[in-house]
Each structure stands twice: as structure tokens, then as C-alpha cells.
Amino acid sequence: MRKKVFSAVIMGWFCLLTLSLFLNLKIYREHQEELILQTARTYLKQVILTRSWNSMLGGVYAPISEHVSPNPCLKGKLRDLTTVEGVHLTKINPAMMTRQLAELAQKEGNLRIHLTSLNPIRPKNRATDWEKEALLKFEQGQMFLSEIVTSKGQKTYHYIEPLRVKPDCLSCHDCQGYNVGDIRGGVSLIFPMPGNSVNWFPWLIHILTFIIGVIGLTIFDIYFVRTKKILKDSFDSLIQKQVKLVEYEQVIQGHKHLGGFITIAQFITNITSYQNIRCEIKQIIENTFATDLVCIAEKSSAGEIHLFDEKMNDSTKINILSEEMKEQIHDVIESEFLTTYKTDGSEPLMTAIFPLKTSDRIKEVLIIGHKRTDAISNQLLEVYLGISNLAGKMIQRASLFEQLEDANINLEQKVQTRTRKLNEKNEELIKAHKEMERLATTDPLTGLYNRRSMLEKLKNEAARFKRNMTPFTIVICDIDNFKLFNDRHGHDCGDLVLTSVTETMQSSIREQDALARWGGEEFLFLFPDTNRNGGKTVAEKIREKIAGSIYEYNDLKLSVTLTFGVCGFCDSNTDINSCINSADAALYKGKESGRNCVVLAEA
């Protein structure tokens, strides 16, 4: 039974650590996938910003060379120009600039950028099967598509976002029948995945924890078994001695002339105070028999004789501790046989000296004396012998009980210490679990909810809406020109802007509202029990508060503005992703209209 319990405890400990390892590896894998997605978006955002810059300028001109040739797909008289110095220039439109950037990126590294469309002007921009599937999904409202593809043992990450038609795009694509806002095509990225290196740190920590736990449980089990055996052996020994006492009592009861012995034996066996057991035995013998002397003497480790009775008068002590009496006591202790001896002095006594077997070796004797020389008969001597044997057993039993009590106290203290240590380990595990849960649900820089935690809250709020039809509002905001803070003043400055803006926004919302870092410099607000107009009002207050604040970094005074997109969730046919996409579209509309504004999503 003990082995089954121990195996069950070990198996439970193994299952607990296995679950902890699984959760750690799952969080690590999700964090790695999120990092790859953010990397792809960063690359693509730089490409789109470059195209927007080119489109804003209506194209840029560059000298014709072996690297730059006229774009055959670009029509118009202003495609090629010649300067007064005779330099031949050709216009580079956004598509051509994107293509050249893709060629340069593929040449310099493993990054592949592909400008594609279902209806391309340039045949090489024709979409692959995967890109066609993505473009069709974009037309259905999807905002991006990513996938990890394995080919010939090499994993590559595919990512694509749609390109929408803007007013300055119609100069080249008007002939294809596009309207502003239509999906013209997309820009895809393909780059190799990091190597499949295993993160051994969680494995090592959990294996060491398991080994330490098994060792600790094994040591505790061994200690428990040994202690239990010691107590059992002591108890069995005590039972055997009690059985022998009963046998002595039965033998004594068989002698009719030992009637008085039964009474005294009952008194001795009923003694409950083991600390003064020798005094109790002395008093019982004195009260039962007409003795003139009853005392117990002990031989010390140094060989000296000591009396346990300190109240004895001086003349009696002198008689007992005389050299002749000491020799008699030594003989009884060495031979383990009783003897009788007549003391000298002013008050001579006829004494009987009995060995008291209180341990493996005899160290004590019982001395009983009478002034009458004929008082100690053979029958009385037998009674006294029985009393001395019983007294020795009782003294020995008292010593065993004291040892047992000490062992029980030590055992209880050790069990309490072990229990306290186990409780401390349990508290450490609970704290570690809470810390891992906090790290998995919050952003490490700002302390806000991360994207996954906010998605859970949004799903719960959507479920509450379906039950109670209580509207709520989603607001997405983005720090305007955030990249300039990092480029001009370093990433520490960017981190300061993120944390400072976070503190301002948190101080401006209600306790039931939620705020998350949605990605990079983007933040997402959840306003429960709030319609779209109320959400816009709160967003406008936050925008004004941040725009009117000055943030200090070293000796710099920084001004920060935000652009907000607001979408209310008030239709049971709407899902969370559509609402987020609508708020995001309103945000980008605000960016295009000049930034530092709040834009309501189209109802």
C-alpha cells in the first residue's frame, strides 16, 4: 500500500511538471509566431510607405542606366525627359520602385517581395496559386493572410496584404476599370523561417525540479519508514515487558503467603507519575510493611554510591554509606544476587539488599531494613524480592515511556518542519504559476493587456452582447509618426513615449474599461456599455489630453499626437473581427486625412 501511495505521489508530481512544461513551450511557440508576424508587417509597412511617398510625389525621375530603364507599362509624354545638360531621365512609378526594391532585397538577402494582382499590367506580376487564394479572400474582407510553407525540408514564411486603389493610382490603372477603394492587388513577402532549434531551458528547469522533488519525497519516505520501525520496535519491547510484569504478578499470586505483595504490586503498577517513581515505590513499601528503612542507592559511572533519598537523617546515611555497606552494594550490583547485612552503629539494622534491573546492566539496588534482627524471614524475603523485581521493571518502564515521549515530540517537530517546507514549496509554485500567467497575458513594456488577452475580453463582451443586447465600442489608436522618435532619438525614447502615453490613456478611462497594446505603436480600447458616439467622445478627450501634454526625454520636450478609429458593436450579425477591421479602416482614414483626429467607422 505504501509503495502504491508513493508511486501515485511521484506520478502526480510528474503530471504537474509535464503540464507546466507544456504551457511554457506553448507560450514560447505563440510568442515566436507573433514575432515573425510583426516582422513581416514591419517589412511590408516600409514597402507601402515607400510606395505612398512615390505616389504622393506623382513618381520620381532617375537617370537611365544599366540599372534603370524606361517602364514599358507606363504611358504618357512625361515618361521620359531630357535635361538641359542632356541627361536622359525616366519616370519611376510606385510599381516600378516596388519591383526594384524587391530585386535589391532578393539580391542582398533571402527576402522576396512580390507585387501581384489578379489583373496585372505587367505579366511578371501575375499571382501564384497561393496569392490568388489570398486576393480572393481580400475581396471578401480579410485584412491579411500568412502561412508557413515547408518545401524540401526548408520552412518559409508567406505573408501578403492587399493594396487598395487611391486617387493618385487611377492615372495608371483607370483603364482597368478600378474605383477608389477597390482592391487592386497585393504585396507579398517570403522569407525563410529561423532554424528549428529547441529551447532547452524550460526542459532543463523542469527536469531538475522533477529530480529534486523525487529525491526529497524519497528521503521523506525513507525517514518515515525508519521512524515508524523504531517506534514499533519500542512499542513491541514495551508490550513484552508488560507481559512479563503480568507473568510476575501471576506467579506471586500463586503464593498464598504473599497476600500483602498483591496490594503493594497494585499500588506500584498504578503509578502514573514516572518522574518521582522511586519516591512513590519507597512510600508504598513504607505504608504497607513495618519497615525501619527503605531507600534506593545507585552506582555512578565513576563507581561511587549515591542515595536517591535526600530527606534521610544523618545517622542512617552514615550507616548506609559506610565502607562495609558500600562493599555489600558493589557485590550485589556485580553478582546480581540479593544479600542480607547487619549494620553497625548506635542504631544497628538488619538490611536486605536487592538488585534493581532498571536497564541492561544493574546500577541500582533496593535496601530494606528492620531494627529487629529476626524481622526478615524467608517468606518476607521472597515478598521483598518480588517487590524489588516489580519495582525494577516499573522504573525501566518509566524510562522507556520517557524515551517514547521524547521520540514522539521529536517526530512531531520533524513532521511539522517537513509540512512547513512542503507548504513553502507549494506557495513558490503558485507564485511562479501566477507570474507565468501574468507574463502570458500582458505586454512586458507597458504592462497593458496583450493582443491575445484583449481578444478573449472582446469575445466575452460579444457573448454578453448576444445575451443582454448591451452595446460596446472598440477604439483603435496609433501614435502619429512614431518611427521618427526611434530614428531621431533612439529606441529608449520610443519606449518612453509608449509608456508615457500608456499612463495618460489609463488615467483617462473607467475602471471597467480595458486597454491593450495591439501591436507596435497601436493601442485598442474596449468601452463596455458605451455606444459609438460615447466612444468617440471619450477618444476625443484622450486625443486632446495627449496632444496638450509635453513628455520629457533627457533634455528634449516631446509632443505626441494620436489618430483614433472608432467602431460600435451594436448588431448581432456583426462579429469581433469585422468590428476591429472597421475601427482599423477608420484609423487609416484618419491617417490619410492628416492625423491627430478621431474618425467614426461607417455604420
Side-chain angles (χ1 to χ4, degrees), residues 296-328:
I296 296 177
E298 177 189 28
K299 180 180 180 181
S300 66
S301 58
E304 297 181 356
I305 303 299
H306 299 282
L307 299 178
F308 283 99
D309 191 353
E310 298 295 336
K311 298 180 180 180
M312 187 180 297
N313 59 59
D314 294 337
S315 61
T316 305
K317 283 186 179 181
I318 292 174
N319 289 334
I320 297 298
L321 297 179
S322 64
E323 293 299 327
E324 294 80 4
M325 191 65 175
K326 288 181 179 180
E327 290 180 2
Q328 296 295 326

Side-chain angles (χ1 to χ4, degrees), residues 455-578:
L455 284 174
E456 290 294 327
K457 289 184 175 294
L458 291 173
K459 289 179 182 179
N460 293 335
E461 195 65 27
R464 191 169 75 92
F465 171 80
K466 290 182 179 180
R467 294 193 304 269
N468 305 328
M469 298 306 291
T470 303
F472 63 91
T473 298
I474 295 175
V475 177
I476 299 178
C477 69
D478 182 272
I479 299 176
D480 296 331
N481 300 316
F482 177 74
K483 187 174 182 296
L484 296 179
F485 294 108
N486 286 331
D487 292 344
R488 293 178 179 176
H489 309 298
H491 288 279
D492 289 342
C493 178
D495 291 346
L496 174 76
V497 170
L498 287 172
T499 55
S500 299
V501 169
T502 296
E503 292 176 0
T504 303
M505 291 189 294
Q506 281 186 310
S507 64
S508 304
I509 61 177
R510 302 170 300 178
E511 184 177 354
Q512 64 267 33
D513 298 332
L515 174 60
R517 186 179 180 187
W518 196 243
E521 66 271 20
E522 281 190 342
F523 299 88
L524 186 143
F525 293 85
L526 169 61
F527 295 133
D529 303 323
T530 306
N531 57 29
R532 62 198 301 265
N533 291 328
K536 180 181 180 184
T537 300
V538 177
E540 187 64 39
K541 290 181 179 179
I542 296 173
R543 184 196 67 79
E544 292 176 354
K545 186 174 182 179
I546 293 176
S549 299
I550 298 297
Y551 302 101
E552 295 184 359
Y553 173 72
N554 294 335
D555 296 332
L556 300 174
K557 295 185 181 299
L558 306 174
S559 296
V560 182
T561 60
L562 275 72
T563 303
F564 295 78
V566 182
C567 181
F569 195 99
C570 55
D571 188 351
S572 59
N573 295 324
T574 305
D575 58 24
I576 288 297
N577 289 332
S578 298

